[in-house]
mmCIF file of all heavy atoms in Angstrom:
data_model
loop_
_atom_site.group_PDB
_atom_site.id
_atom_site.type_symbol
_atom_site.label_atom_id
_atom_site.label_comp_id
_atom_site.label_asym_id
_atom_site.label_seq_id
_atom_site.Cartn_x
_atom_site.Cartn_y
_atom_site.Cartn_z
ATOM 1 N N THR A 181 0.517 301.611 155.513
ATOM 2 C CA THR A 181 0.205 302.182 154.160
ATOM 3 C C THR A 181 1.339 302.459 153.341
ATOM 4 O O THR A 181 1.200 302.548 152.106
ATOM 5 C CB THR A 181 -0.542 303.534 154.434
ATOM 6 O OG1 THR A 181 0.262 304.483 155.143
ATOM 7 C CG2 THR A 181 -1.860 303.353 155.204
ATOM 8 N N GLY A 182 2.577 302.510 153.906
ATOM 9 C CA GLY A 182 3.801 302.707 153.089
ATOM 10 C C GLY A 182 4.554 301.433 152.704
ATOM 11 O O GLY A 182 5.640 301.416 152.079
ATOM 12 N N GLY A 183 3.950 300.256 153.137
ATOM 13 C CA GLY A 183 4.597 299.062 152.789
ATOM 14 C C GLY A 183 5.695 298.557 153.638
ATOM 15 O O GLY A 183 6.474 297.656 153.297
ATOM 16 N N SER A 184 5.931 299.130 154.791
ATOM 17 C CA SER A 184 6.946 298.781 155.731
ATOM 18 C C SER A 184 6.551 297.474 156.483
ATOM 19 O O SER A 184 5.378 297.191 156.630
ATOM 20 C CB SER A 184 7.363 299.776 156.754
ATOM 21 O OG SER A 184 7.742 301.027 156.143
ATOM 22 N N ASN A 185 7.530 296.700 156.923
ATOM 23 C CA ASN A 185 7.292 295.452 157.782
ATOM 24 C C ASN A 185 8.109 295.636 159.015
ATOM 25 O O ASN A 185 9.066 296.366 159.253
ATOM 26 C CB ASN A 185 7.819 294.249 156.923
ATOM 27 C CG ASN A 185 7.178 293.994 155.680
ATOM 28 O OD1 ASN A 185 5.872 293.889 155.620
ATOM 29 N ND2 ASN A 185 7.892 293.961 154.501
ATOM 30 N N LEU A 186 7.584 294.793 160.030
ATOM 31 C CA LEU A 186 8.251 294.827 161.268
ATOM 32 C C LEU A 186 9.747 294.415 161.151
ATOM 33 O O LEU A 186 10.687 294.840 161.814
ATOM 34 C CB LEU A 186 7.725 293.835 162.282
ATOM 35 C CG LEU A 186 6.231 294.302 162.800
ATOM 36 C CD1 LEU A 186 5.733 293.243 163.772
ATOM 37 C CD2 LEU A 186 6.240 295.623 163.438
ATOM 38 N N GLU A 187 10.060 293.539 160.192
ATOM 39 C CA GLU A 187 11.423 293.119 159.927
ATOM 40 C C GLU A 187 12.437 294.308 159.664
ATOM 41 O O GLU A 187 13.504 294.148 159.805
ATOM 42 C CB GLU A 187 11.489 292.059 158.817
ATOM 43 C CG GLU A 187 10.819 290.715 159.068
ATOM 44 C CD GLU A 187 9.251 290.774 159.157
ATOM 45 O OE1 GLU A 187 8.722 291.713 158.588
ATOM 46 O OE2 GLU A 187 8.748 289.975 159.736
ATOM 47 N N ASP A 188 11.876 295.400 159.035
ATOM 48 C CA ASP A 188 12.556 296.581 158.778
ATOM 49 C C ASP A 188 13.096 297.221 159.973
ATOM 50 O O ASP A 188 14.058 298.040 159.843
ATOM 51 C CB ASP A 188 11.687 297.532 157.856
ATOM 52 C CG ASP A 188 11.251 297.106 156.601
ATOM 53 O OD1 ASP A 188 11.885 296.154 156.070
ATOM 54 O OD2 ASP A 188 10.115 297.394 156.110
ATOM 55 N N LEU A 189 12.465 296.939 161.092
ATOM 56 C CA LEU A 189 12.970 297.435 162.373
ATOM 57 C C LEU A 189 13.841 296.554 163.146
ATOM 58 O O LEU A 189 14.302 296.949 164.295
ATOM 59 C CB LEU A 189 11.812 297.934 163.229
ATOM 60 C CG LEU A 189 10.843 299.031 162.700
ATOM 61 C CD1 LEU A 189 9.563 299.078 163.576
ATOM 62 C CD2 LEU A 189 11.585 300.423 162.676
ATOM 63 N N ALA A 190 14.108 295.357 162.665
ATOM 64 C CA ALA A 190 14.878 294.345 163.491
ATOM 65 C C ALA A 190 16.268 294.764 163.996
ATOM 66 O O ALA A 190 16.468 294.430 165.119
ATOM 67 C CB ALA A 190 14.945 293.080 162.602
ATOM 68 N N GLU A 191 16.914 295.563 163.265
ATOM 69 C CA GLU A 191 18.292 296.009 163.611
ATOM 70 C C GLU A 191 18.253 297.346 164.361
ATOM 71 O O GLU A 191 19.346 297.837 164.708
ATOM 72 C CB GLU A 191 19.192 296.047 162.457
ATOM 73 C CG GLU A 191 19.289 294.658 161.645
ATOM 74 C CD GLU A 191 19.710 293.531 162.675
ATOM 75 O OE1 GLU A 191 20.504 293.636 163.429
ATOM 76 O OE2 GLU A 191 19.029 292.436 162.531
ATOM 77 N N TRP A 192 17.077 297.999 164.539
ATOM 78 C CA TRP A 192 17.048 299.296 165.178
ATOM 79 C C TRP A 192 17.286 299.173 166.549
ATOM 80 O O TRP A 192 16.885 298.180 167.394
ATOM 81 C CB TRP A 192 15.762 299.937 164.967
ATOM 82 C CG TRP A 192 15.609 300.439 163.547
ATOM 83 C CD1 TRP A 192 15.887 299.845 162.239
ATOM 84 C CD2 TRP A 192 15.201 301.778 163.183
ATOM 85 N NE1 TRP A 192 15.687 300.659 161.301
ATOM 86 C CE2 TRP A 192 15.098 301.917 161.655
ATOM 87 C CE3 TRP A 192 14.664 302.884 163.876
ATOM 88 C CZ2 TRP A 192 14.833 303.033 161.009
ATOM 89 C CZ3 TRP A 192 14.389 304.068 163.230
ATOM 90 C CH2 TRP A 192 14.345 304.164 161.813
ATOM 91 N N THR A 193 17.806 300.130 167.271
ATOM 92 C CA THR A 193 17.970 300.238 168.697
ATOM 93 C C THR A 193 17.082 301.328 169.224
ATOM 94 O O THR A 193 16.709 302.246 168.506
ATOM 95 C CB THR A 193 19.394 300.643 169.137
ATOM 96 O OG1 THR A 193 19.835 301.828 168.452
ATOM 97 C CG2 THR A 193 20.374 299.403 168.716
ATOM 98 N N GLY A 194 16.745 301.237 170.486
ATOM 99 C CA GLY A 194 15.703 302.099 171.065
ATOM 100 C C GLY A 194 16.072 303.576 171.030
ATOM 101 O O GLY A 194 15.177 304.402 170.904
ATOM 102 N N ASP A 195 17.391 303.830 170.959
ATOM 103 C CA ASP A 195 17.839 305.254 170.920
ATOM 104 C C ASP A 195 17.754 305.950 169.594
ATOM 105 O O ASP A 195 17.982 307.145 169.426
ATOM 106 C CB ASP A 195 19.229 305.425 171.548
ATOM 107 C CG ASP A 195 20.251 304.672 170.659
ATOM 108 O OD1 ASP A 195 19.918 303.993 169.673
ATOM 109 O OD2 ASP A 195 21.444 304.560 171.107
ATOM 110 N N GLN A 196 17.236 305.101 168.620
ATOM 111 C CA GLN A 196 17.029 305.692 167.273
ATOM 112 C C GLN A 196 15.578 306.023 167.060
ATOM 113 O O GLN A 196 15.168 306.679 166.062
ATOM 114 C CB GLN A 196 17.383 304.673 166.123
ATOM 115 C CG GLN A 196 18.838 304.338 166.145
ATOM 116 C CD GLN A 196 18.994 303.220 165.027
ATOM 117 O OE1 GLN A 196 18.851 301.995 165.410
ATOM 118 N NE2 GLN A 196 19.471 303.517 163.926
ATOM 119 N N ILE A 197 14.682 305.813 168.108
ATOM 120 C CA ILE A 197 13.347 306.055 168.079
ATOM 121 C C ILE A 197 12.910 307.222 169.010
ATOM 122 O O ILE A 197 13.258 307.140 170.248
ATOM 123 C CB ILE A 197 12.439 304.881 168.467
ATOM 124 C CG1 ILE A 197 12.924 303.665 167.461
ATOM 125 C CG2 ILE A 197 10.967 305.038 168.370
ATOM 126 C CD1 ILE A 197 12.382 302.349 167.936
ATOM 127 N N GLY A 198 12.417 308.220 168.441
ATOM 128 C CA GLY A 198 11.971 309.448 169.316
ATOM 129 C C GLY A 198 10.709 309.147 170.009
ATOM 130 O O GLY A 198 10.607 309.438 171.198
#
Side-chain angles (χ1 to χ4, degrees):
T181 56
S184 299
N185 299 304
L186 289 182
E187 292 74 21
D188 297 332
L189 295 171
E191 303 303 318
W192 284 48
T193 55
D195 58 4
Q196 294 174 282
I197 303 168

